DNA sequence: GTCCAGGCCAAGC
DNA sequence: GCTTGGCATGGA
């Protein structure tokens, strides 16, 4: 794959489990431990066990997505967005497991990315299944399933230093485990009803719902607005006065076009890195 | 010490 | 409809 910036993609606050090791990026995708390395002509991957079918990884990395075609759909008359693209071209959107994505972003509210990573790491070590790693390598765990989290005690979650986020995470785990919320079914829904379904969960508002819609379900227009993106929006597009919510929503829906979600990710990473 | 972090919710205008 | 304070915790 060309035009793929692994470092930018894995550090852009979409996923919280990738670590920069001496020789590449190490993480766990589903039940696969994997080490990725950026090469001049693509990405190489190493696993603990032999792999015949790599579709799970291609799907996760979205390496078959033609980035040029995505970026060509950005508004051409937007100098700020074009600058963001210049600064981190090759940044991609991953396609994550819905439960891992939902749970991670429930944990994300008013936390710095470093801390989200710490909480998620503790959660995996305490409640996740161990996965195969190369000989001599430190152990690694899968992200704990909804039923694995739903059958522990809320206090056990709290012990992972997640504070007030323990209750919403625990409730979400139980609702997903029981089938009251069927995450697989959301794939078949349109964006708006899928968002409504997610927002029925305690602790899931528009921002977290949009993260899940974009990062796990791949709705290309989903546009999470956090403090950083809000900063970008106000600074670049509404420098005079703070826009009303309806006005802002209309702007987002019309200005950024069919790949608004990608545009959002470029703005987020651009502002955070500069 | 103070401020703030990929927010959300309930209460009060 | 919009604004405000509270929520746990820890990095900057």
């Amino acid at each position: 794959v060309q035009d793929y910036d692994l470092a930018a993609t894995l550090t852009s606050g979409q996923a919280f489990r990738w670590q920069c090791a001496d020789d590449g990026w190490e993480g766990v995708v589903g039940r696969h431990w994997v080490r990725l390395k950026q090469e001049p002509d693509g990405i190489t991957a190493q696993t603990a066990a032999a792999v015949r079918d790599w579709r799970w990884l291609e799907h996760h990395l979205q390496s078959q997505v033609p980035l040029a075609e995505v970026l060509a759909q950005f508004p051409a008359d937007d100098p700020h967005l074009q600058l963001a693209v210049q600064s981190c071209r090759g940044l991609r959107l991953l396609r994550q497991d819905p439960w891992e994505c939902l749970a991670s972003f429930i944990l994300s509210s008013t936390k710095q990315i470093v801390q989200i990573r710490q909480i998620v790491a503790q959660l995996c070590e305490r409640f996740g299944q161990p996965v195969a790693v190369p000989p001599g390598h430190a152990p690694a765990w899968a992200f704990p399933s909804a039923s694995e989290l739903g059958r522990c005690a809320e206090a056990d979650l709290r012990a992972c230093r997640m504070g007030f986020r323990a209750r919403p995470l625990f409730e979400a785990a139980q609702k997903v485990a029981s089938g009251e919320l069927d995450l697989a079914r959301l794939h078949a829904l349109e964006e708006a009803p899928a968002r409504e379904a997610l927002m029925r969960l305690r602790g899931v508002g528009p921002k977290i719902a949009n993260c899940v819609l974009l990062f796990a379900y791949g709705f290309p227009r989903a546009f999470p607005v956090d403090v950083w993106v809000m900063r970008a929006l106000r600074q670049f597009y509404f420098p005079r006065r703070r826009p009303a919510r309806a006005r802002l929503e209309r702007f987002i829906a019309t200005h950024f076009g069919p790949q608004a979600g990608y545009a959002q990710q470029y703005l987020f990473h651009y502002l955070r890195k500069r």
Side-chain angles (χ1 to χ4, degrees):
Chain A
V1 56
Q2 296 293 321
D3 219 5
Y4 201 118
D5 186 337
L6 203 52
T9 301
L10 301 182
T11 64
S12 66
Q14 321 175 45
F16 304 101
R17 300 201 61 197
W18 293 97
Q19 291 197 18
C20 183
D22 48 358
D23 192 28
W25 295 89
E26 297 183 0
V28 176
V29 179
R31 298 203 46 82
H32 296 276
W33 177 93
V34 61
R35 175 188 287 143
L36 302 175
K37 196 174 177 188
Q38 181 94 58
E39 307 282 1
D41 57 347
I43 296 170
T44 57
Q46 178 194 354
T47 53
V51 170
R52 290 181 179 282
D53 187 346
W54 288 96
R55 277 177 294 187
W56 56 274
L57 186 58
E58 289 179 349
H59 183 254
H60 183 71
L61 295 177
Q62 293 284 288
S63 49
Q64 82 289 6
V65 167
L67 185 63
E69 292 179 22
V70 171
L71 301 182
Q73 297 177 62
F74 283 6
D77 57 348
D78 183 338
H80 304 105
L81 188 54
Q82 298 303 330
L83 217 61
V85 170
Q86 278 178 37
S87 82
C88 47
R89 167 119 200 177
L91 171 63
R92 305 282 191 131
L93 287 177
L94 298 169
R95 184 66 55 85
Q96 303 183 53
D97 170 72
W99 166 246
E100 176 169 347
C101 188
L102 172 61
S104 299
F105 278 98
I106 285 175
L107 296 174
S108 74
S109 71
T110 53
K111 276 290 179 196
Q112 299 183 124
I113 289 175
V114 216
Q115 286 180 272
I116 303 168
R117 295 169 55 85
Q118 288 170 359
I119 297 171
V120 168
Q122 284 188 61
L123 204 59
C124 293
E125 176 162 0
R126 289 185 190 219
F127 304 108
Q129 298 293 322
V131 298
V133 294
H137 192 278
W141 293 269
F143 192 89
S145 68
S147 55
E148 282 167 339
L149 293 186
R151 66 170 168 258
C152 71
E154 187 182 317
D156 296 333
L157 298 181
R158 206 170 283 271
C160 296
R161 320 310 297 161
M162 64 183 71
F164 61 83
R165 302 158 194 82
R167 181 175 170 187
L169 177 62
F170 185 62
E171 286 185 9
Q174 292 192 317
K175 287 184 178 176
V176 170
S178 73
E180 183 180 334
L181 173 60
D182 184 354
L183 290 178
R185 193 179 59 88
L186 299 195
H187 283 290
L189 297 184
E190 300 290 316
E191 182 181 343
R195 180 180 294 109
E196 285 168 24
L198 291 168
M199 286 179 62
R200 280 187 211 118
L201 295 169
R202 183 198 305 277
V204 179
K207 191 274 174 181
I208 292 174
N210 280 326
C211 284
V212 178
L213 292 177
L214 183 62
F215 302 142
Y217 292 96
F219 285 100
R221 288 180 180 272
F223 195 98
V225 180
D226 74 319
V227 291
W228 289 96
V229 173
M230 181 60 87
R231 223 168 272 165
L233 291 171
R234 292 182 57 175
Q235 186 178 330
F236 295 157
Y237 309 106
F238 301 91
R240 299 288 180 200
R241 207 164 65 83
R242 194 162 71 85
R245 202 170 62 83
R247 170 113 177 74
L248 191 66
E249 281 187 10
R250 208 179 328 125
F251 176 79
I252 291 169
T254 55
H255 176 72
F256 292 106
Q259 296 291 344
Y262 247 100
Q264 172 278 150
Q265 197 62 17
Y266 270 88
L267 289 176
F268 176 78
H269 194 64
Y270 174 53
L271 236 67
R272 235 169 58 84
K273 289 299 165 191
R274 80 179 188 186

